[in-house]
Amino acid sequence: MTHTDPYRPSGSAGSHDESSTEATGAGVVRTLLWLVLVISAVGNMVASYSGSGTPVHLVCGAITALCVTALVAQRLRGRR
């Protein structure tokens, strides 16, 4: 006899596994990387318009490059 959850609709239209709705460590890291990536890109743009010095551009660019590298590495690791 199979036990069914009375609160979950039967059939494939409304059912999904619980792991798709839970936050995983990789999902949190990916979200944070995207957030830092956007912030660093905006920071670099603001630095460009405000006439900031080269060190500010280098720091923002390095952070952007690290985030992109980490996101690509995470994506490639997830494809295995």
Side-chain angles (χ1 to χ4, degrees), residues 31-64:
T31 302
L32 289 175
L33 282 171
W34 274 108
L35 181 65
V36 172
L37 176 78
V38 169
I39 290 170
S40 66
V42 169
N44 203 358
M45 189 170 49
V46 168
S48 293
Y49 286 119
S50 68
S52 296
T54 303
V56 175
H57 290 285
L58 289 175
V59 168
C60 289
I63 292 171
T64 302

